[in-house]
Amino acid sequence: MSAFVPDVRPADRPAAVDPVLPLTGERTIPDLDVENYWFRRHQVVYERLAPRCAGRDALEAGCGEGYGADLIAGVARRVIAVDYDQAAVAHVRRRYPRVQVLRANLAELPLPEASVDVVVTFQVIEHLWDQGRFLRECARVLRPSGLVMVSTPNRITFSPGRDTPINPFHTRELNADELTELLVDAGFADVSMSGLFHGPRLREMDARHGGSIIDAQIALAVADAPWPPELAADVAAVTTADFDMVGRGSRDIDDSLDLIAIAVRP
């Protein structure tokens, strides 16, 4: 998930070398200044949770561009990545050789029962029509005591006041209670929930750009308007250190940008 708009670059910024995968808004892409906020917002979750994959067999369900699967491959014993998009699968195969990538429908994962220790699925479930079936598939391929790790936009803050998602690539967005219910219904236990928030430097950027650096980016992209140099510079400067990942209870989970759930297959 990115800003859900086509590739729009600030008018005064020369085009970077185009990525192999186009920036359509359906997935985030590394190495593009204009996409940097969304990329770092996703990358931080991989960085924080990758240690849970250390020395283990991991599956990434819905790998997109593949940068996350490759990051996990730096610590895991083995990483299998699955995506339905043929271009994405070919790209991962070319760019990230230490990742074993397969093309398949996520509702029918191409793995045997009890074959992996961790399933990672970040910014994916909101794109799926049958979310319950997908999570049951995650439970099926996990070994006993295996982990599923899920991230998704928080519906309350991502599409506030709407019955349908604002992002045209999303089918159903979730709040924390809805995500927890889906995981429990799929057979998972010990669900822990965290939220992703802007840290101090990003809150300063919010203040500089009318209260929300997110809204500032989206408004200009939708209007097909040039980016002010100050906004372009701030977006390009965002790092994973600018986000806080906080457990439920420390802050109100309903105020978070993204939800991060970890659950156990009994």
Side-chain angles (χ1 to χ4, degrees):
M1 188 266 313
S2 74
F4 57 88
V5 292
D7 187 356
V8 179
R9 296 183 177 91
D12 60 346
R13 181 180 294 274
V17 175
D18 284 338
V20 175
L21 290 181
L23 180 59
T24 64
E26 187 173 10
R27 58 184 164 243
T28 192
I29 300 288
D31 306 322
L32 289 176
D33 284 357
V34 72
E35 179 70 0
N36 186 59
Y37 168 84
W38 299 99
F39 172 67
R40 300 302 179 188
R41 179 165 154 177
H42 296 178
Q43 184 188 32
V44 63
V45 181
Y46 286 101
E47 288 184 352
R48 304 285 172 85
L49 296 187
R52 292 177 177 263
C53 301
R56 309 179 85 179
D57 295 328
L59 164 69
E60 182 169 22
C63 64
E65 194 275 343
Y67 67 89
D70 187 64
L71 188 154
I72 293 168
V75 298
R77 178 169 53 201
R78 177 176 62 135
V79 176
I80 303 167
V82 175
D83 203 278
Y84 187 71
D85 185 85
Q86 188 169 353
V89 169
H91 171 81
V92 174
R93 194 166 284 138
R94 286 192 303 266
R95 184 167 182 177
Y96 304 112
R98 60 183 177 175
V99 174
Q100 179 187 349
V101 61
L102 305 172
R103 182 174 183 262
N105 188 329
L106 298 188
E108 298 178 358
L109 292 172
L111 277 75
E113 293 184 11
S115 56
V116 295
D117 303 302
V118 184
V119 174
V120 175
T121 180
F122 293 160
Q123 304 294 325
V124 172
I125 195 169
E126 67 276 4
H127 294 262
L128 304 180
W129 289 104
D130 195 339
Q131 297 171 339
R133 181 178 176 183
F134 166 62
L135 290 177
R136 290 192 295 274
E137 275 291 278
C138 293
R140 180 186 66 81
V141 302
L142 277 168
R143 295 167 181 146
S145 301
L147 298 179
V148 65
M149 303 194 294
V150 183
S151 78
T152 191
N154 178 12
R155 174 173 57 80
I156 296 171
T157 58
F158 195 77
S159 297
R162 292 177 59 97
D163 294 329
T164 57
I166 192 172
N167 188 320
F169 295 103
H170 292 180
T171 60
R172 179 196 176 199
E173 295 170 356
L174 304 163
N175 64 27
D177 290 340
E178 291 163 343
L179 178 56
T180 300
E181 182 179 6
L182 278 170
L183 286 163
V184 171
D185 287 349
F188 289 98
D190 300 326
V191 180
S192 64
M193 191 73 61
S194 300
L196 196 71
F197 297 84
H198 282 178
R201 202 166 74 104
L202 267 169
R203 292 198 297 270
E204 292 175 2
M205 293 182 188
D206 283 332
R208 283 200 295 274
H209 300 289
S212 171
I213 194 172
I214 301 169
D215 291 347
Q217 294 175 80
I218 293 173
L220 290 170
V222 169
D224 196 20
W227 284 35
E230 297 82 2
L231 177 62
D234 276 350
V235 168
V238 173
T239 73
T240 56
D242 293 321
F243 294 92
D244 293 335
M245 200 170 114
V246 181
R248 192 172 202 164
S250 300
R251 291 180 67 174
D252 188 346
I253 202 78
D254 288 344
D255 293 334
S256 65
L257 299 166
D258 296 326
L259 303 168
I260 301 100
I262 301 174
V264 178
R265 182 208 182 279

